Each structure stands twice: as structure tokens, then as C-alpha cells.
Amino acid sequence: MSWNTFGRVLRFTTWGESHGPALGAVLDGCPPGLALSESDIQPFMDARKPGQSKFTTQRKEPDQVKILSGVFEGQTTGTPISLMIENVDQRSKDYSEVAKAYRPGHADYAYDAKYGFRDYRGGGRSSARETAARVAAGAVARLILPDVKITAYVSQIGDDEIDRSAMDFAEIGNNPFFCPDAAAAKRWEKLVDDARKAGSSLGAVVECVAESVPAGWGAPVYAKLDADLAGGMMSINAVKGVEIGDGFGVAKLSGEQNADPMRAGDNGPEFEANHAGGISGGISTGQPVVCRVAFKPTSSILTPVDTIDRDGNNTEIRTKGRHDPCVGIRGTPVVEAMMALVLADHKMLHRAQCG
Amino acid sequence: MSWNTFGRVLRFTTWGESHGPALGAVLDGCPPGLALSESDIQPFMDARKPGQSKFTTQRKEPDQVKILSGVFEGQTTGTPISLMIENVDQRSKDYSEVAKAYRPGHADYAYDAKYGFRDYRGGGRSSARETAARVAAGAVARLILPDVKITAYVSQIGDDEIDRSAMDFAEIGNNPFFCPDAAAAKRWEKLVDDARKAGSSLGAVVECVAESVPAGWGAPVYAKLDADLAGGMMSINAVKGVEIGDGFGVAKLSGEQNADPMRAGDNGPEFEANHAGGISGGISTGQPVVCRVAFKPTSSILTPVDTIDRDGNNTEIRTKGRHDPCVGIRGTPVVEAMMALVLADHKMLHRAQCG
Amino acid sequence: MSWNTFGRVLRFTTWGESHGPALGAVLDGCPPGLALSESDIQPFMDARKPGQSKFTTQRKEPDQVKILSGVFEGQTTGTPISLMIENVDQRSKDYSEVAKAYRPGHADYAYDAKYGFRDYRGGGRSSARETAARVAAGAVARLILPDVKITAYVSQIGDDEIDRSAMDFAEIGNNPFFCPDAAAAKRWEKLVDDARKAGSSLGAVVECVAESVPAGWGAPVYAKLDADLAGGMMSINAVKGVEIGDGFGVAKLSGEQNADPMRAGDNGPEFEANHAGGISGGISTGQPVVCRVAFKPTSSILTPVDTIDRDGNNTEIRTKGRHDPCVGIRGTPVVEAMMALVLADHKMLHRAQCG
Amino acid sequence: MSWNTFGRVLRFTTWGESHGPALGAVLDGCPPGLALSESDIQPFMDARKPGQSKFTTQRKEPDQVKILSGVFEGQTTGTPISLMIENVDQRSKDYSEVAKAYRPGHADYAYDAKYGFRDYRGGGRSSARETAARVAAGAVARLILPDVKITAYVSQIGDDEIDRSAMDFAEIGNNPFFCPDAAAAKRWEKLVDDARKAGSSLGAVVECVAESVPAGWGAPVYAKLDADLAGGMMSINAVKGVEIGDGFGVAKLSGEQNADPMRAGDNGPEFEANHAGGISGGISTGQPVVCRVAFKPTSSILTPVDTIDRDGNNTEIRTKGRHDPCVGIRGTPVVEAMMALVLADHKMLHRAQCG
């Protein structure tokens, strides 16, 4: 886990900038003999790719993934799988203003402070385009988890939350918001469109549930399954908070309320609640693994904001160009990918130690 | 970052069980020439150690730290610093019941599911006693950050939050709750004592602020400063949620509200807000680094809870023995230690790349 | 350092197979602000590339390197540098026989034993073509070491060694063998050509000297500079031995003979010998770092050898196709690249700890 | 693999100085359920410990190992195993001279150059006492390899080699030199004793053979089994060279001579030679894994050697105190331990990827 690499035994490294020729991921340690072709990956790329509705950036990227290594005659060989996505719709002229001044809330200033300069085209390495590479890697990780069902969805945009009693996973694919509540999705159309028209942006919460994760994945102490999920999710652009199970809600609970009582079931233990989100002591319990992730509103907005330029003088900035009015929406497939990557890594790590 | 090791260039490994002869940490990569003796570490051990008030476990542990290597004539040598804390107040008889049945919410079942058996004495490796080792390592990490001021405090117990307008860091040391709000501390005395008497427990929220962190620490993409903070904090026992800056609050904000406007100041840029919690794009901005951590209520409670035994039969469990009615309280020095360890690691990592 | 990644803070990951569409390296952690273009890398690619004389494989590969990320306006940005080399001269038909039977001495059998099957085209991942990727990464690493002069040369082919009294680094570029002894180079022409005509192959020894390495790079105990050199060099295809300084020769020396006496010099300490090869206790001494590497003869030879096929039946194999009669020759630029990568990593690692 | 940690999934970290209160190892990732007590480790400690014959240092250390964690009711729990060895026979006065001047060939100067000062007592961290910790860790690693037989022996002292036709592993335990050739052992008595009396020292070669290693352990490219062996062995004090199989001898061989022909056997493939030392393409072939390691003569000798003092003035140094006349002898159990640690790590790594 160093610089641009994530994972313990199943490791991936991503590279590339928003407006470079391409970006990609190298997934290393993948088990051999898994059937893999580009068509196994592309649907996940398509779920994340921009320009699919007026609720996302209008940048048009096919996000076509190419497998450059690690697959022979349709099967993974156990060697590094190099995945490449070419950038086709760069418009660097859009970014001339960003070159001179810092977008508050964006990484512009921090990058200059660290490196002395930055690739300002579309945010360079700090752009959410990096997440295309992990979605590609995550699609391969899913092949290591044939029995695990991973579902992420948007549960809140701005201060408008879904109605959990009305939640239906089948709805997620029926709207441009990955929303499991049809009524909320309807409301969000106006909410997001208004923000877009106003040159503003909105925050969101994405939830992710992994079902059929067996008990025993994860490890003490710094390789806890939830610690890796927290680190992985927090590494996603615009994420400012991560919760496992009830998350911050547990602060308000008593020990009795927070306990997930166990009962003998026909197929092993059954739990009468899942406040823990499927993880105790950093190790999976066999319950669904539940993670919540908070996305901030897009920092690149048309509304002018006070800032300084590279020379340290006061100015204000209006970010033209093409931006998501709510990055959390397209963050959903990324959250799913990180869940898959962390779980596959821990499945292999568990196998290493416990056979 | 593997199994029981944390860190990138400043790395530490912890070992030990709640009722073993001792526990400890090996801190590796520490710069040479830092003045270090046990007396530099002990105050932080004392802040965390149990048995100091009726609001914490009555287990009596001096938590005396011994430096076994890496220091010569009062200075760090650059070689591994081995820190050991002997356990003196074990009472394994307390745990006979835990050996047979699983405490809901605790790691008991998950450990058995993973390893086939477990050291049930005091929770073995899953006990919060492990955190004594990281507090010791964190005390050394602070020496690498002479200019950074790290302060953690409890901001909420159960559903009783502090009044931020009444916050005063000078109060933190004046009460047994690490509470910066004297009035809240007063209220919490009854709140926590009632829970203790009722054989129940309470959750809490701990906040941590690191001041005078220069801009430029952290790195894309999987070595983001906030990703490491999230992973490190989530690895602390009983933690279920981590926020940076406004955390989940950002979901409710618009882009304009979330932006931290910048102005030219006499000593470089000044920010008019800190929604970002001092980190943008995974890199510090020079603002205070702000992190919030949610602790669940102690799982070991006297109130009976439905559970199963090791043979899979229904039973109920009442955890006698000695436990914290609110683990979040003693989690405060641990959160400070993790902040110090992550920041020191990133200071060194930044120096490696950017000189 | 996992699977296909090497390095501690300056890390690189290579990917690709001999007959895939491309291969490459992702170099991560590179300092920002270094002037870098493809023309800085290409000369090192050209030194290694095949088909340049009758003494190397006749496969024709331009080994044109492309920089896909991490460089902006001619300077490194501090983000991952993705380097890609396209394969253009694959002739998979050459390898039909290798698909069925195992080349003794080659990785064929070991790969099948591990993975259950293998990409047999040109040896797949086990092909020395992987070394093109590290030569590219090494060319970038050299930019981190502007003052260090790295020179590798062939000192022995078969049992014909160079005459050290006749050694002249200026000769290295004047012959197809990277040989610093003109007379030896002349002899080797017949030696290697005879082996080629006979369908045989030859082993070789490559030596590498790094001058102007300051004292203090390296670290105890498992991050010793010589330990990393040994691991890095042994990871090169066909390498079976690594020596630092006098290497196995030290076994024959007495303590007095092996000591490198020190004298006060005008610019710090001077050493009267360099048996240690510039490294003591895993840390550089300021003397030239000297490393020797043994390359086995190419396993793919025209002469028939007894072997078994994939079904376990006895057979014999003659490897047609295009192969180097002496892989050690083209191993020379690879040894230089590994020296550069290890030294640059340790320069940065030293800076992380000691400022 | 960072600083003082070695291994990929089975990782160990060593700590401690020659004259500190203790030294130790933390072995992390060990599988659960292995029967382990101190008596499983002590025999290997005893094989390495000093003061057992006049051919080794007269420092008297019982090297009693204590297990401080990771074992419960006689079985490994899967959590970190902390192993501690107390130093009892320090005589720091012996080292007053070393504090002022540098021993040529020793790490003294390099440590000062790196860290600015050093723990000069017995060489501090650079002392071969560190190897006691890895021998302890190696003893545990052997439990992960119940079917693998690891044997190391001294094959050469000075320029006196064993007669391979007279080799008998049963002899190794019958002499103080770990020598499999009784006649050579007899000769070495005088050879080593003469060096000792002359205040000189001798180099040596240690060979290690691991039998019954299954085919398939190891991985491309930087996690090659032989790359890890090379790095691990080179990290041992005083080691200057590492060979796998024929090592540097392969340089003199033709492709036909170097090939290890394969034949169909009753229990899978049989090899008619083992020039490869059991490893091809970085992966085990099922043949015995063979490694050779060169140890330099002890740098601490009574014979005066020209050197400089800490102030840079010319002087000479005679190292009194207690030293091994031939460190290679006691290096033998250390080489065995490293072989066990590397093989166990790769057994687990293989299981992670290939199930």
C-alpha cells in the first residue's frame, strides 16, 4: 500500500491524469484460471462513465477498457493484468483559468504546495477520472468473489434522503441516480437539475452492501477488514466520511441496543440485528458487510468563489468547463469496486494464513 | 501495512494479548538523534491507563513502558525502538464464561470463525489493551512533529453533545472525560455512572485537531493523508465511523457552502473556513487537520444478551469482569496517538519524495 | 515489494508478456520537477534492444518507449509515470513446440506446476522481454542520481575472462559485448558465433560499478543496500549468483587481507582497498559500489535435450525460434538499470529518515 | 519488507542491539493451530549460541528465548508471536576503543556517516547478535513446513574446501564446524585455532539444501523465490555473495551442460541434474532448493589495522574483546533460518493466489 498502490496480496496500482493520453490500472496477484475478457469489465465502466444523462458531466468518454497483459486464451494467467483506458474527449482550453488560480475545496493549492507545480488540465492526477481505473480493477476482483453480491446505491442527495421502507434494489438501475427508492429518484431530478442550472453542486451519501461474505475475512489489527474499507473508501475523490454498520449512530446507542443478538439457525448462527455492519474485531461475521460513504459537493462550480492566484494575490474563480453537479452519483460504481477489491484481497489473505 | 504493522516509512508493529505476560510495539524508521527516554512516553500511557476513575474499568495496570532498543545515551539511533508494557493485573477467572459463549458485538465469534479457536482471556488480541502499545509508539512519533499541536477530546457521549460555543481546550485535563466543555463534563458524570450502575454502556464521539501541520503532507492516491487517517482510526477497537472536516455533514452542503474561500494573508494563504478539515486531494492544506471518530458502546455488559455457545446452542451471556462503561473516553489518547503516527509518517514520506 | 513490484519508496511495477500487445512499467514515487522526455529513456532501451548484431536474438523490436502519465510540460509531476513499450515482432508460430513440452532450464514446467497452465508464447511473463520495462524505469531513476556514474560491463563469457589490467571503460561502447577489454571482445566474437552456429549458448558474468555514491545510503537490517541489490539482481532472468565487492572471494581472505584500511584524506576518509564493494553493514561507505552478477546460458537451444511433455511422457525438445546465444550480453543494461533503481530508492529512503 | 521487517505474508521484524537489555523478533501472519512452545525454538538457539567451543567467541549467552504473545494453550493463535532473548553477558568496557575509531570492514564508519553517531557497544544494531532473533523466528517458520527438510553446512573455510565425495549430513552434528566431511572438520580445527591465536580471522562458505519443496512456490517477477533468498541471505551479517544452484559456475557452462533434463518418473517428473538449484523462473521445480552463501572473515581482529578516528585523524586499531575467528561457522543456523522463513512465506503466498 504505497503511493498509488492499494491492497495486500491482491494489489493494484493506478496511473494517469484527466487529460493525459490514457489512464489505467495494473492488478497484480490475481488468481490464475479465471475467465476474463474486456466484456466482463465494460459494463462496470459504462455504469460509471460520464455524459449519460444531464445529471452528470457532459464530457463524452467511451471509457473503453483494453486488457494489455495477464490473460491468455480467455483466462487469467496469474501475472499482472494491465488495464488501459484512453482519454478521447480532453478540452484543455477549458482549464486555462484553473492554471492561474486555485479552486477552493479542490486539490489545486495542495498540489502546488507539495510539488511546486501541477498538471492543471482537468485536475490532472487529482481528477475523479482516476476512479475509472479502479472500477476496471474492481470488475476483475469480482471474479474472485463469485458468491458475493455487492450493491451500492445513493441514499441521500443534499438533505433529501431515501425512504428505507420503500427501498427496492431492483429500482437502482431504473433511474440515473442509482437510487433504490423510485419516489426519491423522481424528487432528485429537480433537485440536481436546479443545482446544475444554478451553477452549484450537491453532496451525497452512497451506501454499499456486500451479501454472502463468509465469516472470517479480515485480520487484527492494522489489516482489519473495516480499516481497509475505511482507507479505501476515503481514498475516493470527494469522500469525507466512512461508516461501517450504524457508524456514527452507535455513539447514541447503549450496549444492549448495539448488541447483535445471536441465535442458533439451521445453517449456523443467525443474528437478530446488524448494527456492526457485518464486521467485529476487524473480521467478517457472516452478516452483510455494510458501508456508508459521504461525498462532498463538486468543488468546480460556476458560482464565483473568493480565492488567490498562484502569485498569492486575491481573486475570484468561476469554474467553467464540464463538471458533475453531484459527484456522489457517479461515485456509486466506484464504491462498489472498492468493496470488491478489499473483499477479494481479504479472501486471499485469509487463505494465505488459514488455508 | 500488513497484519499488525502500520505505516509507510515510519512503521510500527504491535503485539500482545490482554492477559499475556506483556504487550508492546516496535517502531521502525524513526529518525536518529531525537532525545528520548521512558519519561517522554509515560505521561501518554498514564492518560490512557485504566482504573483512574469510577468511569473506567477498575482493572489496575501501571502501564509502565520499557524501552528495550533503539536508544543510546538518551538519543534515538535510527534503529528499531522496542517498547514493552508488562501486564500485571490479569484475572483470567473473570473470563471463564466468555470461553464458552460469544459476546454479541464483540470479536469472540469472528475470531473463532477465522482461527478455529481464540485466546478468550480478556478478549486476547482483540482487547483494547492493544491500544496501549500504539499510545507508546505515538508518544515517540510526536518527537518527529515538534511544531504540531495535537489535541483530542470527547465531543459526545450517548446523545449528549458538548456546546461548541463553550469549548475550551484548557478544560480537557480538568475532568475524567477529556471534555473541553465543563458543563457537559458535569452532566456526563451522572450519565456514565448511571450506565455503569445499570450494567450498561455508552457510545461516544472523539474529535482530534492537529494544528500547525504544513501544507503538502500526503500523496495521491492510495497514500492520501485522509485515507491513512481513516484506516488508522478505524483500526482502533470499537470504532465504527471516521470523518474528516465536516464529514457526513458535507452531503447536505452546496458547492458554495462547502468551499473554503482563500485570501492572501501576511504569512501566505488564509482560509475563511475549514469544511475540508485541512486536507484536499489527500494532501494537507496548512489548515488544522480535523478528524472525528465514532466509538460504539462497550460490548461487554452485565445486562444479559441472547447469544450462542461454541457448540452452537442458544444461551444468554452476562459479562461480569471489569469493563469501561464508555470505551470512547479512554479512546481519546489513542486517537491522538494515531494522528501523531500518521502525520509523522507522512512528514517523512513527503521528505523522501520532495526533499 | 510484492509480486511484480520492486522498491521501498521509489517503487515500480512491471507488466506484460513476450508476445502480448505491449509491456510496461509504472514508476511511482518519483520526485517532482525532473526534466523528462522519451528521449531521455530511449538510449537505454536501444542499448538493450534485440537484433542489433549477430550475437543477439534476431527478433526485431524497436522498443520505442511511450510516457503515458506523470509528466507535464516536460517535467515529472510526482505522480505515477506509466511507461509502455509495444511488441511488434511477435511470431507465435515459432512456439508451437514449446506449448507441448518443457524446455529444461526454462520456467515452462515451473509455471505449469504453479498456475496449471501458461502463456507459452515466447515464454510469456517469464521472458527476458520483461527487462525492457525495468530498463525504462531505470532510465528515470538515473535522473534522481545526477552525480552517480553507473557502469556495467561483461567481464566473462564462458570461461574466457577479461584482462583487468587491460580494462578501459571507453571500450565498452566499441563492441557488441559491452566489454571493457578490446582483446577479449575480439576473442568473444568467435566464441559467441561458434556457440550460435552450434545451436548452443553461453553463460556470462556482468559487473556493475556505481561511482560517487555518498556514504550513508542503505539501512539495517532487511533494507540493507546490498540485500536490495542482491534481491533485485537475482530477479533478472537467467541470473544465478550475485556478489558484492569480493563476493565469494572473501571466503579465502583473512581479516587483515579483507580489511579496507582508512586514511585521512583532503576530502574526508580515503580507503586503501575496496574488498567490501562500497557497502558495510548494509550502508554505503562512499567507495564505489561494486556488484557482480552470473548469467546462465540461454535455456532455449537448438540442440535436442531430453524432457517430458505436458502429459508427462518422455520426449526431446529442440528450441527453434530466435534466441540470444548469450543472454548475459543484453543483461548488461538491465544490471545498470537495477543498480540505478536500488540506489535511487535508497537515496530517497535515507532522506525520509535522516533529512 | 521495510527497514527491519522481512517477508510478504509471513512477516517478521527484529529489534535489539548487541549490548542492550534484550533483542527479539515479532513474527506476524503465522497460521493458527500450530503446536508451539519455547522448547521448539531453543534447540535452534543453542546451535547458534556463542561460547560453545574455542572456535567461536567466548561471550557467554544462554540465548534463552521467551514467547511473549501469539500462543495460547500451546498453540499459535494467528496473532503476532513476540520472541525475546535477554542479553546477559555484555561487557561494554571492551568497546571503549571502538567508540573512538572505526574498524575497517565493519559498519562503524557507515553508521556514523548515516546517523551521525552510533551505539558502539558490541557494534550495536550491526552486531551479528541480531541473527539470534531470526533464528528464533525461523524455528517457528519450520512448523509451517513440516515436510521440508532444511540442512545447512560449512563447505569451505579459508581456501580449504570439503571433499564432496566424502559428504555425510550425519557428520554435521559431530563437529563444531557444521561440517559434513569429517576429515575437513579435523583439518579445520588447526586452521581456525591458528587464526584465533594469530589474532586473525577466516572467511567461509555455507551451503543450504531444502528437500521436499513442492513445485510451484515463488512468483514472477520481483517476488521470485530465488530473489527473496538472495535478499534474505545477503541481509545476514558478513555475507558478500549468494548463489542458487551452480551460481557463478553457470557462467562457464553451455546451454546443453546447464540444462536439467527431465524424465517421466513414477511420481511425476524426474530431473537428471540440478544445476538450477531447484528454482526456474523464480518458481520451485520440486527439486532440492540449493543456496550457497559467502561469509567474509570477522572484521574485528587483534592485528592492528590502519584506520581513522571519529575526528578524521589517522590512527590504527586492534579490536580486543571477544570475537568469532570465523563468523561463517555460527552463520550456518542463521542460513537455515532464512531458508525456512523464505520458504514458509512463499508457501503461504502461493496458497493466497492459487488456493
Side-chain angles (χ1 to χ4, degrees), chain D residues 286-325:
Chain D
Q287 293 216 80
V289 172
V290 181
C291 184
R292 300 180 74 243
V293 181
F295 285 82
K296 69 181 180 185
T298 315
S299 310
S300 302
I301 51 178
L302 270 164
T303 318
V305 189
D306 284 350
T307 189
I308 61 173
D309 61 25
R310 293 206 62 194
D311 307 322
N313 305 315
N314 286 336
T315 178
E316 71 173 22
I317 190 163
R318 298 180 60 238
T319 315
K320 295 179 225 62
R322 307 156 298 177
H323 301 289
D324 287 282

Side-chain angles (χ1 to χ4, degrees), chain C residues 33-57:
Chain C
L34 303 174
L36 174 63
S37 74
E38 284 148 1
S39 62
D40 297 306
I41 302 173
Q42 202 56 45
F44 299 98
M45 304 304 293
D46 295 344
R48 180 205 154 280
K49 81 180 179 195
Q52 302 191 94
S53 80
K54 65 180 177 181
F55 307 109
T56 63
T57 170

